[in-house]
Amino acid sequence: MRLGSESMSAPAALPSDDWEHTWYLAYSQPRQERLAAEQLANQGYLSYLPLCAPAGRRRGAEQPAPALEPMFPRYVFFRRGSAQQALSPARHTRGVSTLVSFGTCPATVRADLVEAVREVERLRRASDADPTPPFRVGDRVRLCEAHLQNLQCMVTAVSGQRVSLLLQILGREKEVCVHHTAVEPV
């Protein structure tokens, strides 16, 4: 998902009661998104840092589950906690580099965009939590491991999060068992 100019707008004369639906973007210091979100919340702002699993694949069951990382590195959504709360303290919050702005005015983000990001985050987490391998016996797959990349094989068994594969290497068949994230469909 890309944050485009159609999702953000220059501030208009908003009614004072619209503070609940007006979101802003803080641009954090490098790898300080969590600190920025926490510090904004400590000051009474409602902050939202969308998180997702890293894009890289897990290479085996022995490795720990990857930590969640920001969906939009260096960006934190936030809104005022009350109609009287000023935005100027947010600019000087620990972890915040600046506020995303058009000129000198902070850019606003539509509330429906923030809700759409929340839905994408929820759907991604739900799909990441599904431990069932997406393969069946007889499926043709390709290995993703660097040293065996693009080697095609056939699924012979599926058990938990592991799949057994039949490989043909140097004219001989060999059965191997790998974590289901180490292969992809052909």
Side-chain angles (χ1 to χ4, degrees):
M1 176 175 262
R2 201 174 127 255
L3 293 177
S5 59
E6 66 279 351
S7 305
M8 296 185 298
S9 61
L14 296 171
S16 61
D17 62 327
D18 201 27
W19 63 270
E20 292 179 294
H21 305 304
T22 304
W23 288 82
Y24 303 92
L25 274 174
Y27 186 68
S28 77
Q29 295 169 352
R31 293 177 298 285
Q32 297 296 309
E33 300 92 343
R34 286 178 173 84
L35 174 65
E38 178 183 312
Q39 293 298 315
L40 285 165
N42 287 345
Q43 293 179 51
Y45 297 101
L46 177 63
S47 65
Y48 171 51
L49 177 61
L51 299 172
C52 63
R57 292 176 167 260
R58 289 183 57 201
R59 296 297 184 207
E62 304 81 37
Q63 294 179 342
L68 295 177
E69 61 186 28
M71 192 180 293
F72 306 108
R74 296 192 69 179
Y75 290 96
V76 177
F77 294 92
F78 75 99
R79 69 174 175 83
R80 296 181 295 158
S82 70
Q84 296 78 28
Q85 188 173 26
L87 289 178
S88 56
R91 285 186 174 91
H92 307 290
T93 300
R94 282 183 53 210
V96 172
S97 180
T98 188
L99 300 185
V100 176
S101 301
F102 290 111
T104 58
C105 298
T108 59
V109 180
R110 296 187 335 243
D112 62 328
L113 173 71
V114 175
E115 288 309 311
V117 171
R118 285 184 197 271
E119 182 64 13
V120 167
E121 180 183 29
R122 187 190 66 73
L123 291 172
R124 275 185 154 181
R125 286 194 184 169
S127 70
D128 290 344
D130 184 10
T132 308
F135 306 107
R136 293 188 313 252
V137 173
D139 286 353
R140 301 285 304 163
V141 295
R142 173 181 23 244
L143 286 165
C144 301
E145 298 287 335
H147 56 285
L148 297 173
Q149 194 168 17
N150 295 326
L151 186 60
Q152 292 188 15
C153 41
M154 185 175 66
V155 176
T156 58
V158 178
S159 175
Q161 294 186 351
R162 314 275 300 166
V163 292
S164 295
L165 307 170
L166 186 61
L167 297 172
Q168 285 207 346
I169 300 177
L170 301 173
R172 299 179 71 189
E173 290 184 342
K174 177 70 177 168
E175 191 164 354
V176 295
C177 188
V178 297
H179 192 270
H180 75 90
T181 58
V183 295
E184 61 186 18
V186 175

